[in-house]
C-alpha cells in the first residue's frame, strides 16, 4: 500500500474530492476549454519581449504591489469599451479571474458564510467556494437554462447568501443574462442581507449585447469580473480583473498575497493592452464562427442553446459521455461538463470548426441508423 492523499490530515470537506481537470489530451482539434484559437500577432509578441526584457532588468526587486500602471490601463480599456468612466481605484487585477474570484470569496465568504450560483454554471465558483471554506448553494434555472427569477428570489430570501454569482454569458450553456434579471437578483440579495453580487463577464466581448458594467453606478455591492484569457487570446498569461466600488478594491487587498502579480505578468499584460484593437479583431471572426456553428448544428439536427459566448452548447444525447468519446475518436476534443444530454464546443478556426462539424455529422448519422 502506498502512502496517499487519504493518509494525510487534509480538511474533511476536501476528502474524496477531485481537482478541476478539463482533459488536456494531445488530439488534432482541441475545442474544449474556450480558449481563443488564434496565436498572438507577431507585433505583439515583439512588444511583449521588449517589455519583459525591461522588467527582467529589475527582477531583483519585488514588483509594483498594487499594479498601478496595469490597473490604470485596464480602467481606460473598460471606460473606452463600455462608456462607463472608471479610475485606477475602481479596478483590481490578479492571476486569472479565478484568483479574482478566490480573493472575493476569501474577503466576503469563508467559514460560516455561503455563496450561491445558478447551475449549471462555471464549476470553479463552487470549487473555489469549497477551497475557501464557504458553503455552496446551487440555485435554480429553467429547463432552457435561463435563470428562474422568482425561484432565484425565493432562494436568496431563504438562504441569505453572502456572495451571489451570476455568469453572463453563462458557461457552459452560452446564454446571456438580461440586465433586468441581474437587477432583480441584486435587489433581492440586498433585501435578504447586504451581500456581494459578482457578475462574471469572462466572455462578454463575444456577446451580442453590451457589458453590464454601467450597472456599477450607485451599486457598491456589485462586482464585475473580467479576464484576458478569452477575448484577448491570452489564457497563458493568467490575468483577470474586476471593476467595482473602490471600497471593494480596498477590501480584497486585505487577503491578496503581497506582490501576487509578478513583474513579468504585469509587463506582458501591459503590452497586450497596447494592442487591444488588433486582438479584438479576432473576436469579430470568432463571433461569426460561433454563429455559423449554431446554424450548422441546427441544420444537422442538433438542439443548440442560444450563445453569446465563444462556445456553443449542443445536444441532446441519450448518453453525452458516449457522444463525447465518439467525437474524440474522430480527432476532435469537446467538453462534457456533466450537463446531462449536452456537450459544449468552443469556436475555433474555420478549419477546426469544419473538422468538428464533419465529426458531429457522422455521429448524428450513426445515431439515426
Ligand atoms: C465563466 C468563467 N469565469 C472565469 C473563468 C476563469 O478564467 P481565468 O482564470 O483564465 O481568467 C472561466 C474560464 O473558463 C470562465 O469560464
Amino acid at each position: 500500500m502506498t502512502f496517499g492523499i487519504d493518509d494525510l490530515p487534509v480538511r474533511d470537506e476536501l476528502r474524496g474530492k477531485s481537482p478541476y481537470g478539463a482533459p488536456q489530451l494531445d488530439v488534432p482539434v482541441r475545442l474544449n476549454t474556450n480558449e481563443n484559437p488564434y496565436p498572438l500577432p507577431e507585433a505583439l509578441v515583439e512588444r511583449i519581449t521588449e517589455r519583459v526584457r525591461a522588467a527582467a532588468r529589475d527582477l531583483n526587486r519585488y514588483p509594483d504591489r498594487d499594479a498601478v500602471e496595469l490597473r490604470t490601463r485596464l480602467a481606460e480599456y473598460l471606460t473606452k469599451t463600455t462608456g462607463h468612466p472608471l479610475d485606477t481605484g475602481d479596478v483590481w487585477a490578479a492571476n486569472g479571474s479565478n484568483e479574482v474570484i478566490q480573493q472575493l470569496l476569501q474577503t466576503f465568504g469563508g467559514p460560516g458564510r455561503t455563496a450561491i450560483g445558478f447551475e449549471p454554471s462555471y464549476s470553479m465558483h463552487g470549487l473555489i467556494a469549497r477551497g475557501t471554506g464557504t458553503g455552496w448553494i446551487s440555485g435554480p434555472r429553467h429547463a432552457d437554462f435561463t435563470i428562474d427569477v422568482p425561484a432565484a428570489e425565493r432562494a436568496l430570501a431563504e438562504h441569505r447568501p453572502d456572495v451571489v454569482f451570476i455568469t453572463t454569458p453563462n458557461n457552459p450553456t452560452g446564454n446571456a443574462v438580461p440586465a433586468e434579471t441581474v437587477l432583480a437578483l441584486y435587489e433581492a440579495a440586498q433585501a435578504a442581507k447586504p451581500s456581494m453580487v459578482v457578475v462574471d463577464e469572462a466572455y462578454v466581448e463575444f456577446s451580442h449585447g453590451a457589458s453590464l458594467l454601467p450597472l456599477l453606478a450607485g451599486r457598491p455591492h456589485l462586482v464585475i469580473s473580467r479576464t484576458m484569457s478569452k477575448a484577448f487570446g491570452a489564457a497563458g498569461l493568467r490575468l483577470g480583473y474586476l471593476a467595482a466600488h473602490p471600497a471593494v478594491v480596498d477590501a480584497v487587498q486585505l487577503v491578496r498575497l503581497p506582490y501576487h502579480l509578478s513583474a513579468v505578468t504585469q509587463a506582458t499584460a501591459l503590452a497586450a493592452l497596447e494592442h487591444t484593437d488588433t486582438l479584438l479583431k479576432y473576436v469579430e471572426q470568432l463571433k461569426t464562427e460561433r454563429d455559423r456553428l449554431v446554424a450548422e448544428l441546427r441544420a444537422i439536427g442538433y438542439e443548440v442553446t442560444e450563445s453569446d459566448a465563444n462556445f456553443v452548447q449542443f445536444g441532446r444525447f441519450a448518453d453525452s459521455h458516449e457522444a463525447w468519446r465518439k467525437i474524440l475518436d474522430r480527432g476532435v476534443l469537446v467538453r462534457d461538463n456533466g450537463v446531462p444530454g449536452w456537450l459544449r464546443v468552443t469556436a475555433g478556426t474555420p478549419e477546426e470548426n469544419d473538422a468538428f462539424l464533419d465529426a458531429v455529422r457522422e455521429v448524428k448519422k450513426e445515431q439515426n441508423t
Side-chain angles (χ1 to χ4, degrees):
M1 276 268 238
T2 52
F3 188 86
I5 190 168
D6 291 335
D7 302 308
L8 291 168
V10 294
R11 285 160 43 197
D12 289 342
E13 64 270 34
L14 301 180
R15 285 203 177 275
K17 296 290 192 316
S18 318
Y20 171 88
Q24 290 193 307
L25 303 179
D26 192 12
V27 293
V29 180
R30 283 183 293 164
L31 300 175
N32 68 327
T33 49
N34 298 343
E35 293 152 324
N36 190 317
Y38 294 103
L40 299 181
E42 210 39 47
L44 173 52
V45 172
E46 281 308 312
R47 187 65 187 129
I48 290 173
T49 310
E50 269 170 37
R51 278 217 180 237
V52 169
R53 189 180 297 116
R57 296 201 176 95
D58 277 334
L59 280 186
N60 56 315
R61 301 283 176 198
Y62 283 112
D64 175 2
R65 197 174 45 214
D66 297 330
V68 173
E69 188 186 358
L70 175 59
R71 287 163 56 210
T72 305
R73 297 286 100 77
L74 287 166
E76 284 168 7
Y77 163 72
L78 290 174
T79 302
K80 190 171 147 209
T81 50
T82 67
H84 181 74
L86 289 174
D87 287 325
T88 314
D90 305 314
V91 174
W92 180 243
N95 294 284
S97 49
N98 282 333
E99 191 182 34
V100 169
I101 291 160
Q102 184 178 49
Q103 292 178 344
L104 287 167
L105 283 167
Q106 285 174 325
T107 309
F108 300 108
R113 292 188 165 208
T114 58
I116 190 170
F118 303 96
E119 296 185 314
S121 191
Y122 181 47
S123 61
M124 284 307 299
H125 294 154
L127 288 178
I128 299 172
R130 188 175 76 201
T132 58
T134 312
W136 180 250
I137 300 158
S138 180
R141 274 182 194 262
H142 290 297
D144 68 358
F145 301 111
T146 56
I147 294 179
D148 182 342
V149 178
E153 287 171 339
R154 283 195 299 277
L156 293 175
E158 183 191 339
H159 299 289
R160 304 175 67 239
D162 300 278
V163 181
V164 181
F165 285 101
I166 305 172
T167 308
T168 179
N170 189 44
N171 178 16
T173 57
N175 53 314
V177 182
E180 311 82 72
T181 300
V182 172
L183 287 175
L185 298 186
Y186 183 86
E187 293 309 325
Q190 302 316 304
K193 180 187 221 172
S195 50
M196 299 305 296
V197 176
V198 180
V199 175
D200 185 336
E201 284 198 337
Y203 300 97
V204 74
E205 288 93 342
F206 301 104
S207 183
H208 295 101
S211 165
L212 298 183
L213 202 124
L215 298 185
L216 287 176
R219 294 188 183 84
H221 291 86
L222 189 64
V223 180
I224 308 282
S225 148
R226 295 283 198 97
T227 181
M228 293 180 77
S229 296
K230 312 295 175 181
F232 282 87
L237 162 62
R238 309 306 301 127
L239 202 288
Y241 53 106
L242 66 76
H245 190 283
V248 176
V249 174
D250 290 346
V252 291
Q253 295 193 30
L254 298 171
V255 300
R256 65 107 164 84
L257 294 175
Y259 316 109
H260 68 298
L261 264 188
S262 84
V264 172
T265 300
Q266 293 188 40
T268 310
L270 281 165
L273 285 164
E274 289 174 14
H275 284 254
T276 49
D277 292 347
T278 340
L279 290 173
L280 296 178
K281 262 188 213 135
Y282 293 125
V283 169
E284 288 311 314
Q285 287 183 36
L286 288 168
K287 284 165 76 172
T288 306
E289 281 298 303
R290 180 262 327 272
D291 292 341
R292 180 169 79 94
L293 284 174
V294 170
E296 297 218 18
L297 281 164
R298 284 189 177 140
I300 296 168
Y302 287 105
E303 277 184 58
V304 177
T305 314
E306 285 309 327
S307 175
D308 272 80
N310 66 335
F311 55 85
V312 176
Q313 179 178 256
F314 65 104
R316 298 188 191 183
F317 302 100
D319 181 342
S320 35
H321 199 71
E322 191 198 347
W324 175 85
R325 166 62 56 195
K326 284 182 174 167
I327 299 168
L328 183 61
D329 289 344
R330 290 165 171 85
V332 182
L333 180 59
V334 297
R335 187 71 184 272
D336 177 6
N337 289 90
V339 184
W342 298 86
L343 294 174
R344 188 194 72 192
V345 61
T346 306
T349 62
E351 298 71 33
E352 288 172 330
N353 298 335
D354 285 342
F356 160 74
L357 288 165
D358 287 345
V360 290
R361 231 175 250 118
E362 285 179 25
V363 171
K364 187 76 183 169
K365 251 188 226 148
E366 258 181 36
Q367 240 181 2
N368 293 341
T369 51

